[in-house]
Amino acid sequence: MTPALNAFLERFAELGGDANGWLQTESRYPTLTLPAKHKDVGPLCIDDNGDELTLEVGTKHHTHFSGYNYDGDSDDSRLLAAAHDAARFAIDVIADRVCITTDYLDDRCIGSSHFYLDAENVTADTVRDSLIGVRSGNIRSDRFLWSSPLQVNGG
C-alpha cells in the first residue's frame, strides 16, 4: 500500500470511519475499495497514481484530489494533504451528506457532479423532492446517495 493510501485510511479512521472495511484491490494503480452499500450505486474506490488520488463512486462519478493543489515541501507531503481531504470526502459520501448527479443525453453519459446537501439546505430525506442538480430539456439526470439511488418524485 502506498503512503498516501495509508494516510487516507488513518485519516478516515480518525474521522470515525471503519478503516477495516476497505479492501486492497488490484487495478492499474494501487487501490482501496469499500464494497457497495447499494448494488445500483456501486463501490467506493480510491486509487493513487503517484500525483493524485481519485475517488470513484461506482461507475457514476469520480473526483480528483491532486497533490498539486496543496502546499508542502515535497510532492509526497502534498499528496498526504490530498489524502486527508479525500478521507473527509469519503466520510461525507458514506454519511449521505453528498448527492451525486450523473447526466445523460439519450443513453450517453455527458458528465457528473456532486453537491453537499447542507449547502443546498436539503437533507437525505428531502433531496428526493428537490430539483437541485437536475438538468432540464432532453438531458436526463440520475441522482443518488451512497445508500441508494434517488428518483425525483413525479419523474
Side-chain angles (χ1 to χ4, degrees):
M1 183 162 351
T2 68
L5 290 178
N6 274 326
F8 169 85
L9 283 179
E10 288 172 9
R11 184 67 179 143
F12 186 81
E14 287 171 6
L15 294 169
D18 179 9
N20 294 322
W22 294 85
L23 309 169
Q24 283 186 268
T25 56
E26 295 300 320
S27 185
R28 183 172 162 200
Y29 301 112
T31 302
L32 294 171
T33 299
L34 185 65
K37 182 170 184 176
H38 191 285
K39 66 178 178 61
D40 292 337
V41 175
L44 199 60
C45 299
I46 184 159
D47 69 51
D48 178 357
N49 75 7
D51 294 323
E52 69 179 3
L53 300 174
T54 304
L55 193 137
E56 297 177 359
V57 184
T59 59
K60 302 178 184 314
H61 180 68
H62 69 273
T63 190
H64 301 273
F65 296 88
S66 175
Y68 300 117
N69 294 330
Y70 297 86
D71 293 328
D73 296 338
S74 67
D75 290 343
D76 289 339
S77 69
R78 288 188 293 272
L79 194 56
L80 294 179
H84 284 200
D85 280 354
R88 164 60 67 195
F89 184 73
I91 287 286
D92 289 342
V93 168
I94 291 166
D96 281 348
R97 292 190 286 262
V98 177
C99 182
I100 307 294
T101 302
T102 307
D103 299 317
Y104 298 89
L105 183 59
D106 297 320
D107 288 330
R108 184 174 56 95
C109 180
I110 59 171
S112 67
S113 61
H114 68 268
F115 63 88
Y116 279 82
L117 301 180
D118 62 350
E120 299 297 336
N121 294 315
V122 294
T123 66
D125 294 329
T126 64
V127 69
R128 187 177 318 275
D129 295 325
S130 78
L131 293 177
I132 297 166
V134 175
R135 289 187 157 182
S136 60
N138 60 349
I139 297 174
R140 183 183 92 241
S141 297
D142 292 345
R143 296 183 309 166
F144 59 95
L145 301 173
W146 173 247
S147 62
S148 70
L150 299 173
Q151 184 171 349
V152 177
N153 286 345

